[in-house]
Amino acid sequence: MNIINIRKDLPKSGIYPKRKLSDTTHIDIHHSASLTENYKGYKTIKQFAYYHVNGHGWPGIGYHYIVTPEDIIYKTGIAREMRWSVGGNNSYTISIMAVGNFDKEEISEDQYKNLLELTRTVMNAYNIPVENVMGHNEFPDQNTKCPGIDMDKLRSDL
C-alpha cells in the first residue's frame, strides 16, 4: 500500500475542529462521483480541495484519505481533525474517498484491494469494528447514493 501524505500541499481556508482520537468510532466511505469524469491524478485531488474550500467554504478537503485508481493512496487529513464529509456525523468519523463514479462503473479490483487494505489499517489503528464501517448513505440524515459500492460486500471482505 503506497500512501503519500499531501496534507500540507492542499489549499486551505482555515482549520478543522480538533477532537480526541478516542472519539473516532466510525469510518465513512465515499466515491467522487461526477467530479472525476476527467480524472488527472494528483491535479484532480487538488481540484477536490479547491472545490471544498471555494465551493463549500470548508476549511480544507473533506476527506482524511483518497484511494485513487492508479494504486496511490493520498493522506489528506489527520484523525484528530474532523472533516466535513457526512453532515451531522463528522465528530466521530474518519473519511475515505475512492476516486470514481461507482453508480456508473465498477471499482477496479486493484482499487478495491487498496480500499480494503487502507480501511483495515484505519480500523486497527483506531479500534473500529467492522459494523462501524459505513457508506456515506448509511449514516443518519444523508440523502445520497454515495459511495455507489456494495457496503455489505465490503464489510464482509474486511
Side-chain angles (χ1 to χ4, degrees):
M1 180 169 56
N2 183 18
I3 299 177
I4 300 173
N5 187 341
I6 60 169
R7 293 180 310 114
K8 295 181 192 270
D9 300 334
L10 297 175
K12 298 176 189 144
S13 69
I15 298 171
Y16 275 107
K18 302 288 189 265
R19 62 180 171 201
K20 293 183 225 167
L21 290 178
S22 59
D23 292 341
T24 304
T25 60
H26 287 68
I27 297 171
D28 55 285
I29 306 291
H30 301 263
H31 69 153
S32 55
S34 61
L35 293 177
T36 50
E37 299 206 353
N38 295 308
Y39 179 68
K40 294 178 179 74
Y42 177 72
K43 181 178 178 181
T44 299
I45 305 304
K46 283 187 91 168
Q47 290 172 337
F48 293 153
Y50 281 114
Y51 176 71
H52 288 168
V53 169
N54 298 323
H56 292 309
W58 296 352
I61 197 164
Y63 312 106
H64 293 93
Y65 295 94
I66 297 178
V67 181
T68 71
E70 69 235 345
D71 207 26
I72 298 171
I73 297 170
Y74 290 108
K75 181 175 182 157
T76 55
I78 58 173
R80 287 187 310 275
E81 292 177 345
M82 284 190 275
R83 294 292 162 146
W84 303 157
S85 57
V86 185
N89 301 279
N90 297 305
S91 64
Y92 59 92
T93 62
I94 292 182
S95 300
I96 299 174
M97 189 266 285
V99 174
N101 187 345
F102 307 125
D103 291 331
K104 295 182 178 180
E105 62 192 10
E106 290 290 319
I107 189 170
S108 75
E109 187 176 321
D110 287 341
Q111 189 178 14
Y112 187 73
K113 286 179 183 175
N114 282 330
L115 177 61
L116 288 172
E117 187 174 356
L118 174 62
T119 303
R120 284 186 200 109
T121 299
V122 173
M123 288 170 64
N124 291 332
Y126 301 102
N127 222 10
I128 297 172
V130 70
E131 61 270 14
N132 287 2
V133 176
M134 298 168 58
H136 182 180
N137 61 348
E138 296 178 306
F139 283 86
D141 302 320
Q142 304 303 301
N143 184 20
T144 180
K145 293 180 185 179
C146 179
I149 60 175
D150 183 340
M151 287 303 299
D152 290 328
K153 179 180 179 342
L154 185 130
R155 283 185 288 270
S156 174
D157 291 344
L158 289 169

